[in-house]
Amino acid sequence: MPARPVRRTALSLALVLLSAAPRSAAAAERSEIPDRYKWNLSELYADEAAWQKARADAAARLPSLSAFRGHLGDSPEALWKALDALFALDLDLTRLYVYASARSDEDTRAAGPRELKQAAQRLGVDFGAASSWIRPEIISLDAERVRAFQKAEPRLAPYRVYLEEALRWKPHTLSAAEENILAEAGNLTGAGQAAYGILKDADLPWPTVKLSTGVEARLDPATFSLHRASPARADRDLVFQAFFGAVKGFERTFGTTLDAALKAHLFNAKVRRFASPLEASLFRNNVPTSIYTQLIADVRRSLPTFHRYLKLRARLLGVEKLRYQDLYVPMVGAVDLSFKPDEARDITLEAFRPLGKDYVAALRKGYQSGWTDYLPSTGKRAGAYSTGVYGVHPYQLLNFNGKYDDLSTLAHESGHSMHTALAFAAQPYPTSDYPIFVAEVASTLNEALLFDHMLGKAKDEATRLALLGNRLDGLRGTLFRQTQFAEFELAVHQRVEKGEPVTGEALSRLYLEIVRAYYGHDQGVCQVEDLIAAEWAYVPHFYYDFYVFQYATSLVASSAIAAGIREEARRGTGTAARDRYLAMLAAGGSKFPVDLLKDAGVDMTTSRPFEAAIAAMNATMDEMEKLLARQKTK
Ligand SMILES: [Zn+2]
């Protein structure tokens, strides 16, 4: 749907949210950083004056869209002309936005770039308003007529997915009058989430604790994620007690805000004639609900593997009884390696060799031609993301500090960027944007290749152990924690569907029950104290209905694809698995996500890909236990 010209960027923002990267200490002023470590935005616009001119030009073209109104069904050519104008504007607005937001991210303090970004956002809103009639008008057309148009007009070929996507909504679209009421209701249904945001970000009196290091830390959600990984157990206890104590104090209010959001999800599902909020949410990406429920069943079935990991973690931390408070300190210790940006680039290019010469050459060229903004500087936006402009190339923002995690982030974002580059090269603009459901496959696959490569290269046992531990901790966070969230999310929606009361207290009881089952509390694997029950309350993702499961499914898909590529490389049996995968990347958004993955050899409607992820996790633990046994006998 090109209704918003900022889709790829919006996705990246959501991803940055989850990684919750701790704010890095700013190293330098941007002016002190050599140009070869900066992205080259002049390929988008020579200067700000050129941007302003392009903005004015796009703004002047917006009203012309209305000339097509009421005429989409006139002829195949009329439909093509309208879509052509729509997508040309969409591309221009994306370009304007990416430039403005990238400039603003370089120094978030600077007012000038921030104003550019606001101007681009305003234009995006105007574009949304000027084009909002197009999809409803397509939906109102007879589907057979639209398909006959496509047969008659070859220039409509790039718009096939867009048109099919619109027509798919036909059974869930209401009369014009009802749609108007729904649009008005949209102003009310966000109240729960809005109140949650204000409470969490502004009003809640977050506690301050004094750590054994002498540091006084105010524990809000961002600093909590930093200090919960404290190496001192007593500090972790203090941090968990104080943070969840504060959350618990507002359990009833958080319950009310989440209840309001859940009821909004149910309202939207009902009026649009979906069987459930789950179905309504997954319909947007055309993903069957069975994939969601199967993921939960697969993870539940694999809890013994998860418990094996938890026991190994207890052993490595040297604690007799593992507790939920002991999950965030690295199980081995940080990977004690450091890298210069140029070294990191070379390492990723080495690591991605299983993807073939062309892939590596294209990325090398990208690294050399201004795709990447590497280094942190004062005022620069925190975290990392990848975006891009069709007809130009991908752009990626990093805050590279030379640690292993930074290397891993470079691999991750380069995975997104190469996905973008390959899709740009192979697809027309309307199908160049890949769906969210497959986005994290390319990034996590490259992380897996990096891990293989680093493990193969690591000579000393301490580094090997740290790499293995880092990998396992990542799997815990992505595969098990996100699915545990997904299961809770499904359960609370079902509660609302059944008309059962949703209070903060009830949510806490339910949450604790699920977490205890996952962590083997009753079997003595990991102790989950009562205070953990309130954890659900501060997690923002429950307000985006059914989003987080995609982190787990992406990892499942990339594990299966990586296993296939690894296997054929080891056996020397050709490059079929690799070629299928690269073809999927190049296919961009030309198909629906489940079909894209099927083409890459991964059938997400079965449990097979999941087995590959669990096998990889077990192999990592086998390797670790072997190393530990050897250390013991020394
Ligand atoms: Zn990502």
Side-chain angles (χ1 to χ4, degrees):
M1 276 177 286
R4 288 175 307 147
V6 292
R7 192 162 134 219
R8 188 176 289 112
T9 308
L11 160 67
S12 312
L13 289 176
L15 302 171
V16 169
L17 260 180
L18 190 86
S19 67
R23 211 159 269 278
S24 54
E29 287 299 324
R30 188 167 181 83
S31 55
E32 296 163 7
I33 293 173
D35 280 349
R36 66 198 170 91
Y37 296 129
K38 293 179 188 166
W39 52 25
N40 180 7
L41 300 179
S42 71
E43 286 179 66
L44 296 173
Y45 300 97
D47 51 29
E48 222 172 283
W51 185 91
Q52 293 290 7
K53 194 174 165 300
R55 194 202 64 83
D57 170 66
R61 275 156 58 216
L62 280 190
S64 68
L65 282 179
S66 64
F68 301 105
R69 191 164 192 169
H71 297 289
L72 297 185
D74 285 4
S75 69
E77 198 186 12
L79 181 59
W80 170 74
K81 274 191 172 154
L83 293 181
D84 198 49
L86 175 74
F87 277 85
L89 264 167
D90 183 81
L91 175 54
D92 289 348
L93 262 64
T94 303
R95 192 173 182 131
L96 286 163
Y97 180 80
V98 169
Y99 177 86
S101 112
R103 284 283 314 280
S104 165
D105 290 345
E106 288 174 354
D107 188 350
T108 53
R109 300 164 309 170
R114 213 178 327 123
E115 282 160 19
L116 292 191
K117 186 175 167 181
Q118 281 165 0
Q121 281 168 331
R122 264 201 313 277
L123 194 59
V125 171
D126 293 346
F127 176 61
S131 61
S132 64
W133 59 271
I134 294 182
R135 262 170 53 93
E137 190 170 320
I138 292 169
I139 294 170
S140 75
L141 298 175
D142 177 53
E144 286 319 306
R145 186 174 169 80
V146 174
R147 290 189 187 115
F149 277 13
Q150 291 181 64
K151 277 208 185 99
E153 175 54 84
R155 287 178 295 180
L156 279 173
Y159 303 109
R160 190 186 58 82
V161 176
Y162 175 79
L163 290 169
E164 281 303 320
E165 177 56 36
L167 293 176
R168 222 165 52 81
W169 282 89
K170 222 177 167 73
H172 304 287
T173 304
L174 313 177
S175 72
E178 288 167 325
E179 286 289 341
N180 266 338
I181 298 174
L182 257 187
E184 289 295 327
N187 296 326
L188 313 173
T189 48
Q193 185 177 2
Y196 158 80
I198 293 291
L199 173 60
K200 179 182 69 105
D201 297 331
D203 286 352
L204 201 147
W206 294 110
T208 299
V209 293
K210 188 160 183 182
L211 302 170
S212 63
T213 51
V215 170
E216 284 212 15
R218 179 180 179 267
L219 296 173
D220 59 29
T223 49
F224 169 66
S225 74
L226 199 67
H227 293 299
R228 69 184 171 184
S230 164
R233 210 178 193 199
D235 283 344
R236 296 201 295 271
D237 273 349
L238 185 65
V239 165
F240 269 78
Q241 279 291 349
F243 183 76
F244 286 123
V247 173
K248 171 96 186 151
F250 290 83
E251 183 186 50
R252 281 186 298 259
T253 311
F254 278 123
T256 311
T257 59
L258 185 55
D259 182 42
L262 296 171
K263 286 195 171 120
H265 299 162
L266 181 63
F267 169 77
N268 281 314
K270 269 189 175 165
V271 292
R272 292 216 175 273
R273 306 187 195 102
F274 287 105
S276 65
L278 176 67
E279 192 188 289
S281 171
L282 268 57
F283 184 84
R284 288 178 217 141
N285 284 314
N286 204 13
V287 172
T289 55
S290 61
I291 288 184
Y292 193 98
T293 47
Q294 182 187 285
L295 171 74
I296 294 173
D298 284 339
V299 164
R300 279 274 182 171
R301 207 159 37 81
S302 308
L303 288 180
T305 299
F306 186 47
H307 294 172
R308 180 186 172 195
Y309 156 78
L310 292 170
K311 286 172 191 161
L312 190 56
R313 165 171 269 275
R315 180 177 158 194
L316 282 158
L317 291 183
V319 297
E320 199 167 322
K321 198 164 186 66
L322 188 73
R323 298 162 321 149
Y324 202 75
Q325 291 90 320
D326 303 321
L327 295 173
Y328 291 93
V329 58
M331 72 191 284
V332 179
V335 182
D336 190 16
L337 298 169
S338 59
F339 315 88
K340 300 250 178 323
D342 305 80
E343 287 170 332
R345 284 204 296 223
D346 292 345
I347 291 169
T348 58
L349 293 172
E350 270 293 297
F352 302 158
R353 272 171 66 180
L355 296 178
K357 275 199 200 88
D358 294 349
Y359 185 101
V360 171
L363 180 58
R364 174 175 289 121
K365 190 161 172 268
Y367 281 157
Q368 289 162 353
S369 45
W371 286 13
T372 313
D373 207 69
Y374 285 95
L375 301 174
S377 57
T378 314
K380 181 171 163 179
R381 181 202 160 130
Y385 66 79
S386 166
T387 180
V389 174
Y390 188 79
V392 187
H393 56 63
Y395 283 96
Q396 52 189 32
L397 176 140
L398 306 173
N399 277 280
F400 190 90
N401 277 311
K403 299 278 192 285
Y404 179 70
D405 279 350
D406 299 311
L407 173 64
S408 197
T409 303
L410 174 64
H412 181 106
E413 300 305 338
S414 299
H416 286 312
S417 295
M418 279 302 295
H419 192 178
T420 302
L422 292 171
F424 280 177
Q427 298 296 323
Y429 177 59
T431 51
S432 63
D433 199 1
Y434 40 81
I436 290 176
F437 190 74
V438 300
E440 292 302 325
V441 174
S443 53
T444 53
L445 186 125
N446 283 13
E447 281 183 52
L449 292 179
L450 175 70
F451 167 71
D452 289 350
H453 176 72
M454 295 303 287
L455 195 63
K457 260 195 4 181
K459 292 191 185 66
D460 64 295
E461 290 192 355
T463 304
R464 291 180 67 83
L465 273 177
L467 284 166
L468 291 160
N470 183 283
R471 185 79 186 139
L472 286 173
D473 288 343
L475 289 171
R476 178 195 83 86
T478 311
L479 202 50
F480 290 95
R481 184 168 164 85
Q482 300 306 330
T483 306
Q484 169 212 313
F485 282 171
E487 182 169 344
F488 174 72
E489 209 180 342
L490 181 60
V492 295
H493 278 92
Q494 285 170 343
R495 223 168 230 264
V496 173
E497 285 173 70
K498 283 188 229 146
E500 291 171 12
V502 174
T503 60
E505 294 90 332
L507 290 168
S508 290
R509 269 197 303 278
L510 181 65
Y511 189 79
L512 189 63
E513 200 179 292
I514 292 174
V515 179
R516 283 187 167 159
Y518 271 66
Y519 285 83
H521 174 84
D522 291 343
Q523 297 102 297
V525 180
C526 174
Q527 192 185 337
V528 183
E529 288 164 34
D530 288 347
L531 75 111
I532 306 302
E535 186 176 42
W536 62 270
Y538 88 99
V539 177
H541 301 90
F542 299 134
Y543 292 83
Y544 318 125
D545 45 337
F546 304 107
Y547 188 88
V548 295
F549 84 104
Q550 300 175 105
Y551 291 106
T553 50
S554 288
L555 186 86
V556 165
S558 72
S559 297
I561 295 168
I565 294 174
R566 217 178 273 136
E567 191 58 17
E568 71 185 7
R570 194 177 62 82
R571 292 193 188 178
T573 51
T575 59
R578 178 185 92 193
D579 297 342
R580 274 202 307 264
Y581 170 62
L582 294 176
M584 181 205 86
L585 297 184
S590 61
K591 291 182 179 179
F592 288 122
V594 175
D595 298 327
L596 284 168
L597 289 174
K598 252 185 205 155
D599 289 352
V602 184
D603 186 353
M604 293 301 288
T605 62
T606 72
S607 293
R608 285 266 306 279
F610 186 85
E611 308 298 340
I614 290 299
M617 187 163 182
N618 273 310
T620 307
M621 289 192 279
D622 291 345
E623 178 73 23
M624 210 161 181
E625 280 170 353
K626 238 192 301 178
L627 281 174
L628 291 171
R630 221 182 309 160
Q631 278 189 343
K632 229 180 194 173
T633 55
K634 262 184 201 165

